[in-house]
Amino acid sequence: MKILKKIAVILLLVLVAMQFYRPVKNSSQENHVAQFIAETNPSKEVQGVLQNACYDCHSNNTDYPWYSMIAPVSYWLADHVEEGKEELNFSAWESYSDKRKSHKLEEVVEVIEAGEMPLKSYTWVHSEAILTKAQKEAVMAWANQSKVLYQLNRQPQ
Ligand code: HEC
């Protein structure tokens, strides 16, 4: 019993110490997705879905609920954001080639269709990010349409 108490105290101290190491926040003040919105022209409905269900992990601006500030949740979240942005960052749209943009939009259709995104761990706490059938369809239709635009714009190689 004594040893268990000791372990509990040590764990508690580690948890407290962890609070002093905060990952850098992913938050940009400027209108970070302006270029992406201007080019792909999503409807208000689709913009709302992207905002509520995707930008936290796929843009330069994450909305942090209070519990996300607590380690180790904060580390875990920072990892997701980093990984998500590596795959797809709507705030870095202007840095993508047309080929990459169309490929990313194709992937958006795939992950929405397969129900892979938003991640389950995210919708557990963000129930507003659970997409309805109509929302999924709207996002897929928009992504398919914008994807074609980039393909048409592409210069012959
Ligand atoms: C909680 C964070 C989180 C949210 C919210 C989220 N994603 Fe992701 N997304 C990730 C991570 C992490 C990866 C990379 C690892 C993986 O594929 O699971 C990823 C990968 C992707 C990829 C690339 C998939 C591939 O084929 O490799 C696409 C496209 C994508 N997400 C689209 C979306 C869309 C669209 C939304 C909103 C409907 C969304 N994501 C919401 C974290 C997130």
Side-chain angles (χ1 to χ4, degrees):
M1 199 53 210
K2 246 182 166 175
I3 186 91
L4 279 184
K5 250 190 201 162
K6 264 191 192 156
I7 290 173
V9 169
I10 290 170
L11 278 182
L12 195 70
L13 288 176
V14 167
L15 209 66
V16 170
M18 278 170 95
Q19 306 309 320
F20 291 96
Y21 297 91
R22 293 224 156 138
V24 179
K25 268 192 169 183
N26 179 47
S27 51
S28 113
Q29 296 306 317
E30 68 216 71
N31 186 1
H32 55 111
V33 290
Q35 182 74 23
F36 163 67
I37 297 293
E39 281 186 26
T40 61
N41 197 25
S43 66
K44 282 277 171 288
E45 185 190 9
V46 172
Q47 283 191 45
V49 171
L50 296 171
Q51 173 78 52
N52 284 337
C54 315
Y55 286 168
D56 273 354
C57 301
H58 292 290
S59 86
N60 288 344
N61 205 358
T62 305
D63 255 340
Y64 291 91
W66 64 268
Y67 51 81
S68 68
M69 293 289 117
I70 299 166
V73 178
S74 53
Y75 301 158
W76 184 72
L77 190 87
D79 257 13
H80 267 114
V81 172
E82 195 183 328
E83 237 189 283
K85 275 170 66 172
E86 241 170 58
E87 280 290 336
L88 169 64
N89 184 355
F90 291 119
S91 308
W93 201 244
E94 54 272 35
S95 70
Y96 291 4
S97 65
D98 278 1
K99 188 173 171 196
R100 185 139 190 240
K101 288 171 181 170
S102 104
H103 180 61
K104 288 296 153 190
L105 289 165
E106 172 78 48
E107 284 183 351
V108 166
V109 176
E110 285 168 13
V111 296
I112 296 280
E113 199 159 35
E116 284 171 11
M117 291 285 154
L119 293 177
K120 291 277 175 300
S121 55
Y122 183 80
T123 49
W124 283 343
V125 283
H126 290 269
S127 54
E128 78 282 2
I130 298 172
L131 307 184
T132 63
K133 192 159 175 274
Q135 284 176 322
K136 285 183 186 174
E137 276 164 7
V139 171
M140 289 192 287
W142 155 81
N144 272 325
Q145 206 176 357
S146 324
K147 180 189 80 182
V148 172
L149 283 180
Y150 289 119
Q151 287 165 351
L152 293 176
N153 279 343
R154 212 181 310 159
Q155 302 298 315
Q157 319 223 320

